[in-house]
Amino acid sequence: MTRGKFLFVPWLRVIATLAILATLLPTARAGEQNLKPVRVSDHVWYVQGDSGMASAANQGFNSNAGFVVTRDSVIVIDALGTPPLGEALVVAIRQVSDKPIRRVILTHYHADHFYGLAAFKAAGAEVWAHRAGREYFTSGEAAARLAQRRTDLFPWVDEHTRLIEADRWLDGDTSFEAGGLHFRVSFLGPAHSSEDLLVSVDEDGVVFCGDILFAGRIPFVGSADSKRWLAAIDVLAGLKPKILVTGHGAHSTNAGADLTLTRDYLLYLREQMGKAVDEMTPFEEAYARTDWRRFSKVPAFEAANRINAYGTYLTLERESLAK
Protein backbone atom coordinates (compact mmCIF):
# COMPACT_ATOMS: atom_id res chain seq x y z
CA MET A 1 0.00 0.00 0.00
CA THR A 2 2.80 2.40 0.89
CA ARG A 3 4.62 1.77 -2.37
CA GLY A 4 1.41 2.24 -4.41
CA LYS A 5 0.67 5.45 -2.55
CA PHE A 6 4.03 6.96 -3.41
CA LEU A 7 3.62 5.96 -7.08
CA PHE A 8 0.12 7.44 -7.20
CA VAL A 9 0.96 10.88 -5.76
CA PRO A 10 3.63 11.80 -8.37
CA TRP A 11 1.20 10.91 -11.14
CA LEU A 12 -1.39 13.20 -9.61
CA ARG A 13 1.19 15.97 -9.58
CA VAL A 14 2.06 15.33 -13.24
CA ILE A 15 -1.63 15.45 -14.22
CA ALA A 16 -2.16 18.64 -12.23
CA THR A 17 0.89 20.23 -13.83
CA LEU A 18 -0.31 19.32 -17.31
CA ALA A 19 -3.72 20.80 -16.54
CA ILE A 20 -2.11 24.07 -15.45
CA LEU A 21 0.05 24.16 -18.60
CA ALA A 22 -3.04 23.57 -20.72
CA THR A 23 -4.65 26.68 -19.29
CA LEU A 24 -1.53 28.68 -20.10
CA LEU A 25 -1.22 27.51 -23.70
CA PRO A 26 -3.78 29.93 -25.13
CA THR A 27 -1.87 32.86 -23.67
CA ALA A 28 1.38 31.52 -25.09
CA ARG A 29 -0.17 30.93 -28.51
CA ALA A 30 -1.70 34.40 -28.58
CA GLY A 31 1.64 36.04 -29.31
CA GLU A 32 2.95 33.60 -31.90
CA GLN A 33 2.25 35.59 -35.07
CA ASN A 34 5.45 36.74 -36.77
CA LEU A 35 4.42 39.31 -39.36
CA LYS A 36 6.71 39.95 -42.29
CA PRO A 37 6.41 43.43 -43.82
CA VAL A 38 6.30 43.57 -47.64
CA ARG A 39 7.88 46.70 -49.11
CA VAL A 40 5.98 48.12 -52.09
CA SER A 41 7.61 51.55 -52.55
CA ASP A 42 10.23 53.84 -51.06
CA HIS A 43 8.19 54.58 -47.94
CA VAL A 44 5.37 52.00 -47.83
CA TRP A 45 5.10 48.48 -46.35
CA TYR A 46 2.19 46.19 -45.58
CA VAL A 47 1.48 42.79 -44.03
CA GLN A 48 -0.77 40.31 -45.82
CA GLY A 49 -3.34 38.16 -44.06
CA ASP A 50 -4.67 34.73 -44.94
CA SER A 51 -6.96 34.40 -47.97
CA GLY A 52 -9.87 32.87 -46.03
CA MET A 53 -12.22 34.12 -43.36
CA ALA A 54 -10.99 34.92 -39.84
CA SER A 55 -10.66 31.66 -37.91
CA ALA A 56 -8.86 29.91 -35.08
CA ALA A 57 -6.62 28.31 -37.72
CA ASN A 58 -5.24 31.68 -38.87
CA GLN A 59 -5.59 33.30 -35.40
CA GLY A 60 -7.79 36.00 -36.92
CA PHE A 61 -5.08 37.10 -39.37
CA ASN A 62 -7.05 37.38 -42.60
CA SER A 63 -6.81 41.08 -43.41
CA ASN A 64 -4.03 43.45 -44.41
CA ALA A 65 -2.57 46.48 -42.69
CA GLY A 66 0.08 48.88 -43.91
CA PHE A 67 2.41 51.58 -42.74
CA VAL A 68 4.29 54.54 -44.18
CA VAL A 69 7.68 55.58 -42.82
CA THR A 70 8.17 59.33 -43.18
CA ARG A 71 11.19 61.44 -42.29
CA ASP A 72 10.07 61.80 -38.67
CA SER A 73 7.19 59.41 -37.95
CA VAL A 74 5.18 56.36 -38.97
CA ILE A 75 1.60 56.51 -40.29
CA VAL A 76 -0.35 53.24 -40.06
CA ILE A 77 -3.37 52.18 -42.10
CA ASP A 78 -5.61 49.68 -40.28
CA ALA A 79 -4.67 47.66 -37.21
CA LEU A 80 -5.58 43.99 -37.95
CA GLY A 81 -8.14 41.79 -36.25
CA THR A 82 -6.99 40.86 -32.71
CA PRO A 83 -5.05 42.57 -29.91
CA PRO A 84 -2.08 40.16 -30.30
CA LEU A 85 -2.01 40.90 -34.04
CA GLY A 86 -1.88 44.60 -33.25
CA GLU A 87 1.08 43.96 -30.99
CA ALA A 88 2.73 41.84 -33.69
CA LEU A 89 2.20 44.65 -36.21
CA VAL A 90 3.97 47.10 -33.90
CA VAL A 91 6.87 44.62 -33.68
CA ALA A 92 6.91 44.34 -37.49
CA ILE A 93 7.00 48.12 -37.83
CA ARG A 94 9.90 48.24 -35.38
CA GLN A 95 11.82 45.89 -37.69
CA VAL A 96 11.73 48.71 -40.24
CA SER A 97 11.78 51.92 -38.20
CA ASP A 98 12.10 53.16 -34.63
CA LYS A 99 10.38 56.46 -35.42
CA PRO A 100 7.28 57.31 -33.36
CA ILE A 101 3.97 55.86 -34.57
CA ARG A 102 1.98 59.06 -34.87
CA ARG A 103 -1.34 58.03 -36.38
CA VAL A 104 -3.54 55.09 -37.35
CA ILE A 105 -6.09 55.69 -40.11
CA LEU A 106 -8.88 53.11 -40.27
CA THR A 107 -10.30 52.38 -43.69
CA HIS A 108 -13.45 51.14 -41.94
CA TYR A 109 -14.75 49.80 -38.64
CA HIS A 110 -14.95 46.07 -39.32
CA ALA A 111 -13.55 43.73 -36.66
CA ASP A 112 -10.74 42.34 -38.80
CA HIS A 113 -9.33 45.84 -39.34
CA PHE A 114 -9.44 47.52 -35.93
CA TYR A 115 -9.30 45.01 -33.03
CA GLY A 116 -5.53 45.51 -32.88
CA LEU A 117 -5.80 49.22 -31.99
CA ALA A 118 -4.89 48.86 -28.30
CA ALA A 119 -1.23 48.28 -29.13
CA PHE A 120 -1.11 51.52 -31.12
CA LYS A 121 -2.87 53.53 -28.45
CA ALA A 122 -0.27 52.20 -26.00
CA ALA A 123 2.42 53.44 -28.42
CA GLY A 124 0.89 56.94 -28.37
CA ALA A 125 -0.82 56.93 -31.76
CA GLU A 126 -3.92 58.94 -32.62
CA VAL A 127 -6.75 57.08 -34.38
CA TRP A 128 -8.62 58.60 -37.33
CA ALA A 129 -11.77 57.22 -38.98
CA HIS A 130 -14.82 58.52 -40.80
CA ARG A 131 -17.70 59.78 -38.68
CA ALA A 132 -20.12 57.23 -40.16
CA GLY A 133 -18.25 54.58 -38.17
CA ARG A 134 -19.75 55.89 -34.92
CA GLU A 135 -22.99 54.09 -35.77
CA TYR A 136 -21.14 50.79 -35.41
CA PHE A 137 -20.85 51.44 -31.68
CA THR A 138 -24.38 52.72 -31.10
CA SER A 139 -26.33 50.19 -33.19
CA GLY A 140 -25.47 47.09 -31.16
CA GLU A 141 -23.40 45.66 -34.00
CA ALA A 142 -20.11 46.19 -32.16
CA ALA A 143 -21.25 44.28 -29.07
CA ALA A 144 -22.71 41.43 -31.13
CA ARG A 145 -19.54 41.03 -33.20
CA LEU A 146 -17.32 41.12 -30.12
CA ALA A 147 -19.33 38.32 -28.50
CA GLN A 148 -18.99 36.25 -31.67
CA ARG A 149 -15.25 36.87 -31.90
CA ARG A 150 -14.71 36.00 -28.25
CA THR A 151 -16.20 32.61 -29.03
CA ASP A 152 -14.70 31.95 -32.45
CA LEU A 153 -11.27 33.54 -31.95
CA PHE A 154 -10.52 32.75 -28.31
CA PRO A 155 -7.88 33.22 -26.91
CA TRP A 156 -6.80 35.91 -29.40
CA VAL A 157 -10.01 37.78 -28.65
CA ASP A 158 -11.11 37.37 -25.03
CA GLU A 159 -12.86 39.04 -22.10
CA HIS A 160 -10.09 41.65 -21.89
CA THR A 161 -10.47 42.79 -25.52
CA ARG A 162 -11.78 46.33 -25.67
CA LEU A 163 -13.11 48.18 -28.68
CA ILE A 164 -11.49 51.52 -29.38
CA GLU A 165 -13.24 54.44 -31.04
CA ALA A 166 -11.46 57.05 -33.12
CA ASP A 167 -9.80 60.04 -31.50
CA ARG A 168 -10.72 62.10 -34.55
CA TRP A 169 -13.89 61.45 -36.54
CA LEU A 170 -13.56 62.79 -40.09
CA ASP A 171 -16.51 64.44 -41.81
CA GLY A 172 -15.22 63.83 -45.34
CA ASP A 173 -12.07 64.18 -47.42
CA THR A 174 -8.96 65.61 -45.81
CA SER A 175 -5.23 65.82 -46.41
CA PHE A 176 -2.13 66.27 -44.33
CA GLU A 177 1.66 66.33 -44.52
CA ALA A 178 3.89 64.17 -42.35
CA GLY A 179 7.67 64.07 -42.51
CA GLY A 180 7.86 65.38 -46.06
CA LEU A 181 5.14 63.10 -47.47
CA HIS A 182 1.66 64.17 -48.52
CA PHE A 183 -1.38 62.06 -47.63
CA ARG A 184 -4.91 62.33 -49.01
CA VAL A 185 -7.79 60.68 -47.18
CA SER A 186 -10.88 60.25 -49.38
CA PHE A 187 -14.38 59.16 -48.35
CA LEU A 188 -15.95 56.53 -50.65
CA GLY A 189 -18.73 55.20 -48.45
CA PRO A 190 -21.25 53.90 -48.09
CA ALA A 191 -19.95 51.00 -50.16
CA HIS A 192 -18.41 47.94 -48.48
CA SER A 193 -19.14 49.78 -45.23
CA SER A 194 -20.80 53.07 -44.41
CA GLU A 195 -17.43 54.67 -43.64
CA ASP A 196 -15.02 53.47 -46.36
CA LEU A 197 -11.87 55.57 -46.66
CA LEU A 198 -9.03 55.57 -49.18
CA VAL A 199 -5.57 56.70 -48.09
CA SER A 200 -3.23 57.95 -50.83
CA VAL A 201 0.51 58.57 -50.44
CA ASP A 202 1.19 61.04 -53.22
CA GLU A 203 4.97 60.82 -53.51
CA ASP A 204 4.88 57.02 -53.85
CA GLY A 205 1.74 56.67 -55.97
CA VAL A 206 0.32 54.23 -53.42
CA VAL A 207 -3.35 53.97 -52.50
CA PHE A 208 -4.68 51.96 -49.55
CA CYS A 209 -8.23 51.00 -50.50
CA GLY A 210 -9.40 48.89 -47.56
CA ASP A 211 -12.11 46.42 -48.52
CA ILE A 212 -13.17 48.17 -51.70
CA LEU A 213 -10.96 45.47 -53.23
CA PHE A 214 -10.63 41.87 -52.06
CA ALA A 215 -7.75 40.45 -54.09
CA GLY A 216 -7.82 36.73 -54.85
CA ARG A 217 -10.84 35.86 -52.70
CA ILE A 218 -14.59 36.27 -52.56
CA PRO A 219 -15.42 39.60 -50.89
CA PHE A 220 -17.61 39.81 -47.83
CA VAL A 221 -20.71 41.68 -48.94
CA GLY A 222 -23.34 41.02 -46.28
CA SER A 223 -25.71 43.97 -46.24
CA ALA A 224 -23.30 46.34 -48.02
CA ASP A 225 -24.58 48.85 -50.56
CA SER A 226 -23.34 46.93 -53.60
CA LYS A 227 -24.56 49.61 -56.02
CA ARG A 228 -22.45 52.26 -54.32
CA TRP A 229 -19.62 49.74 -53.99
CA LEU A 230 -19.52 49.30 -57.76
CA ALA A 231 -19.41 53.08 -58.15
CA ALA A 232 -16.52 53.22 -55.65
CA ILE A 233 -14.64 50.62 -57.70
CA ASP A 234 -14.97 52.84 -60.76
CA VAL A 235 -13.61 55.81 -58.80
CA LEU A 236 -10.71 53.71 -57.55
CA ALA A 237 -9.88 52.40 -61.02
CA GLY A 238 -9.97 55.96 -62.33
CA LEU A 239 -7.24 57.02 -59.92
CA LYS A 240 -4.82 54.66 -61.73
CA PRO A 241 -2.53 54.21 -58.73
CA LYS A 242 0.93 52.78 -59.30
CA ILE A 243 0.34 50.46 -56.36
CA LEU A 244 -2.93 49.50 -54.71
CA VAL A 245 -2.75 47.99 -51.21
CA THR A 246 -5.92 46.00 -50.68
CA GLY A 247 -7.84 45.13 -47.54
CA HIS A 248 -7.40 41.42 -48.31
CA GLY A 249 -4.97 39.67 -50.63
CA ALA A 250 -1.81 40.72 -52.42
CA HIS A 251 -1.12 44.31 -53.41
CA SER A 252 -1.79 45.28 -57.01
CA THR A 253 0.27 47.03 -59.65
CA ASN A 254 -2.60 46.85 -62.17
CA ALA A 255 -5.67 48.20 -60.40
CA GLY A 256 -7.93 48.05 -63.46
CA ALA A 257 -7.32 44.34 -63.98
CA ASP A 258 -7.26 43.32 -60.33
CA LEU A 259 -10.54 45.04 -59.55
CA THR A 260 -12.24 42.74 -62.05
CA LEU A 261 -12.99 39.84 -59.69
CA THR A 262 -14.66 42.01 -57.05
CA ARG A 263 -16.57 43.99 -59.68
CA ASP A 264 -17.71 40.92 -61.62
CA TYR A 265 -18.80 39.10 -58.46
CA LEU A 266 -20.87 42.06 -57.25
CA LEU A 267 -22.45 42.46 -60.69
CA TYR A 268 -23.33 38.76 -60.81
CA LEU A 269 -24.88 38.86 -57.34
CA ARG A 270 -27.00 41.84 -58.33
CA GLU A 271 -27.99 40.27 -61.65
CA GLN A 272 -29.05 36.93 -60.18
CA MET A 273 -30.68 38.19 -56.99
CA GLY A 274 -32.25 41.09 -58.88
CA LYS A 275 -33.91 38.65 -61.27
CA ALA A 276 -35.26 36.71 -58.29
CA VAL A 277 -36.66 39.86 -56.68
CA ASP A 278 -38.29 40.97 -59.96
CA GLU A 279 -39.90 37.54 -60.36
CA MET A 280 -40.79 37.37 -56.64
CA THR A 281 -38.88 34.10 -56.33
CA PRO A 282 -38.14 33.10 -52.70
CA PHE A 283 -34.48 33.43 -51.78
CA GLU A 284 -33.79 29.72 -51.14
CA GLU A 285 -35.20 28.78 -54.52
CA ALA A 286 -33.27 31.56 -56.24
CA TYR A 287 -30.02 30.58 -54.51
CA ALA A 288 -30.42 26.91 -55.44
CA ARG A 289 -31.06 27.64 -59.11
CA THR A 290 -28.15 30.07 -59.53
CA ASP A 291 -25.06 28.75 -61.29
CA TRP A 292 -22.18 29.65 -58.95
CA ARG A 293 -19.49 27.64 -60.76
CA ARG A 294 -17.60 30.71 -61.96
CA PHE A 295 -16.80 31.68 -58.36
CA SER A 296 -17.11 28.43 -56.40
CA LYS A 297 -13.38 27.65 -56.40
CA VAL A 298 -12.31 31.10 -55.26
CA PRO A 299 -11.10 31.26 -51.61
CA ALA A 300 -13.78 32.17 -49.03
CA PHE A 301 -16.66 31.20 -51.37
CA GLU A 302 -18.11 28.55 -49.04
CA ALA A 303 -17.94 30.82 -46.01
CA ALA A 304 -19.23 34.02 -47.62
CA ASN A 305 -21.35 33.37 -50.69
CA ARG A 306 -24.72 32.47 -49.13
CA ILE A 307 -24.47 35.40 -46.71
CA ASN A 308 -23.57 37.68 -49.61
CA ALA A 309 -26.40 36.44 -51.79
CA TYR A 310 -28.99 36.82 -49.05
CA GLY A 311 -27.77 40.30 -48.13
CA THR A 312 -27.90 41.32 -51.79
CA TYR A 313 -31.39 39.85 -52.17
CA LEU A 314 -32.59 42.02 -49.26
CA THR A 315 -30.75 45.07 -50.62
CA LEU A 316 -32.41 44.69 -54.01
CA GLU A 317 -35.81 44.26 -52.37
CA ARG A 318 -35.28 47.62 -50.66
CA GLU A 319 -34.11 49.20 -53.92
CA SER A 320 -37.20 47.84 -55.69
CA LEU A 321 -39.52 49.29 -53.06
CA ALA A 322 -37.79 52.66 -53.29
CA LYS A 323 -38.46 53.03 -57.04
Side-chain angles (χ1 to χ4, degrees):
M1 288 294 294
T2 302
R3 182 180 178 186
K5 180 180 179 181
F6 280 110
L7 286 172
F8 184 66
V9 170
W11 275 110
L12 280 179
R13 289 174 179 165
V14 170
I15 292 169
T17 301
L18 289 173
I20 293 169
L21 288 174
T23 66
L24 296 176
L25 279 175
T27 304
R29 289 200 306 269
E32 281 181 1
Q33 287 282 13
N34 180 23
L35 308 185
K36 297 180 180 179
V38 177
R39 188 172 192 171
V40 297
S41 67
D42 287 346
H43 305 95
V44 177
W45 286 256
Y46 81 107
V47 295
Q48 182 181 338
D50 186 74
S51 62
M53 304 290 277
S55 66
N58 58 34
Q59 299 180 21
F61 184 34
N62 75 316
S63 65
N64 300 344
F67 59 97
V68 185
V69 179
T70 79
R71 186 173 58 236
D72 57 16
S73 62
V74 178
I75 307 297
V76 179
I77 295 85
D78 288 338
L80 301 179
T82 70
L85 281 170
E87 294 167 6
L89 181 55
V90 171
V91 171
I93 292 169
R94 290 296 172 237
Q95 294 172 11
V96 174
S97 174
D98 61 359
K99 295 171 184 175
I101 300 172
R102 176 184 297 177
R103 184 169 299 143
V104 180
I105 304 173
L106 293 180
T107 59
H108 60 300
Y109 258 104
H110 282 182
D112 53 336
H113 293 267
F114 85 94
Y115 273 30
L117 278 177
F120 292 95
K121 291 298 296 177
E126 180 183 49
V127 179
W128 287 16
H130 189 270
R131 185 172 299 281
R134 297 183 77 171
E135 185 179 352
Y136 180 79
F137 294 93
T138 59
S139 65
E141 183 181 354
R145 177 63 69 187
L146 179 58
Q148 175 261 319
R149 294 276 161 146
R150 282 173 170 164
T151 299
D152 294 352
L153 291 182
F154 182 82
W156 303 283
V157 177
D158 62 18
E159 68 276 12
H160 302 295
T161 301
R162 60 190 180 95
L163 305 186
I164 295 173
E165 297 190 36
D167 300 299
R168 179 178 174 186
W169 293 106
L170 304 176
D171 292 312
D173 298 352
T174 190
S175 59
F176 64 94
E177 182 271 338
L181 299 181
H182 294 83
F183 296 77
R184 286 179 292 118
V185 183
S186 307
F187 178 53
L188 280 189
H192 172 72
S193 74
S194 61
E195 66 273 10
D196 294 298
L197 292 177
L198 299 182
V199 182
S200 303
V201 187
D202 287 347
E203 283 77 7
D204 288 35
V206 175
V207 173
F208 291 88
C209 68
D211 284 1
I212 299 298
L213 172 58
F214 284 67
R217 58 156 283 183
I218 292 295
F220 178 76
V221 181
S223 59
D225 187 335
S226 53
K227 187 176 183 179
R228 290 288 301 270
W229 192 343
L230 286 163
I233 287 174
D234 289 340
V235 170
L236 185 54
L239 294 176
K240 297 181 179 179
K242 293 179 184 176
I243 298 162
L244 192 60
V245 180
T246 66
H248 297 262
H251 70 282
S252 169
T253 56
N254 188 345
D258 291 335
L259 284 162
T260 299
L261 172 62
T262 300
R263 179 194 285 117
D264 287 357
Y265 178 72
L266 293 176
L267 286 170
Y268 192 70
L269 279 178
R270 289 182 62 85
E271 173 191 299
Q272 296 301 313
M273 295 303 104
K275 185 187 303 180
V277 169
D278 289 343
E279 296 172 355
M280 292 185 289
T281 304
F283 170 72
E284 291 297 338
E285 181 181 337
Y287 189 84
R289 80 181 186 188
T290 300
D291 183 356
W292 298 108
R293 286 177 295 178
R294 179 180 176 188
F295 304 103
S296 62
K297 301 301 182 184
V298 180
F301 175 86
E302 290 296 333
N305 191 64
R306 177 178 287 273
I307 298 170
N308 292 344
Y310 184 60
T312 302
Y313 184 92
L314 297 178
T315 295
L316 291 170
E317 278 189 329
R318 289 192 296 269
E319 288 184 14
S320 177
L321 292 172
K323 290 179 181 178

